[in-house]
Amino acid sequence: QVQLVESGGGLVQPGESLRLSCVASGFPLDVHTVGWFRQAPGKEQEGVACFSRAIIGTYYSDSVKGRFSVSGDNSRNTVYLQMNSLTPDDTAVYFCAAARDQYYCSAAVLGRHFDYRSQGTQVTVSA
């Protein structure tokens, strides 16, 4: 069965960190482009990061650049989103998605069609 399963969300205080995991089954993540997205209540979906292991490319939106980082573990068929220095503005449902095509990551890539998507996980940053 082809699916993406995400985990790692939760409630943290401002300034703290979280790491989200995106585990793929049924297909190899290392030959796909992986995007991380978030949606906060009342706001549009935002693409925050892109990871293309085969092309060795990453992209981060301005809102998370310098605080978030993406990495992959082929042995676990997993991509991670490390989120540091979290603020209340980072509160949202986060999800990962994978595209069969391999792209050089950019803002435009995050607006493209992704073939698979995880269920989403809530990240809440609050004092």
Side-chain angles (χ1 to χ4, degrees), residues 6 15 17 35 47 49 74 89 95 101 104 106 110 118 121 126:
E6 186 184 357
S17 300
N74 286 350
D89 287 342
F95 64 94
D101 292 324
Y104 287 97
S106 67
L110 290 173
S118 70
T121 188
S126 175

Side-chain angles (χ1 to χ4, degrees), residues 20-80:
L20 305 183
S21 300
C22 177
V23 182
S25 59
F27 67 99
L29 264 182
D30 62 347
V31 294
H32 288 66
T33 301
V34 177
W36 285 95
F37 302 83
R38 66 186 182 186
Q39 186 153 23
K43 295 185 178 181
E44 292 188 357
Q45 178 179 296
E46 177 188 10
V48 298
C50 176
F51 178 71
S52 180
R53 187 175 187 89
I55 302 178
I56 314 178
T58 57
Y59 164 83
Y60 301 96
S61 66
D62 288 343
S63 60
V64 306
K65 193 177 299 181
R67 301 186 298 121
F68 289 14
S69 63
V70 184
S71 62
D73 186 339
N74 286 350
S75 66
R76 291 182 167 84
N77 209 23
T78 300
V79 173
Y80 302 99

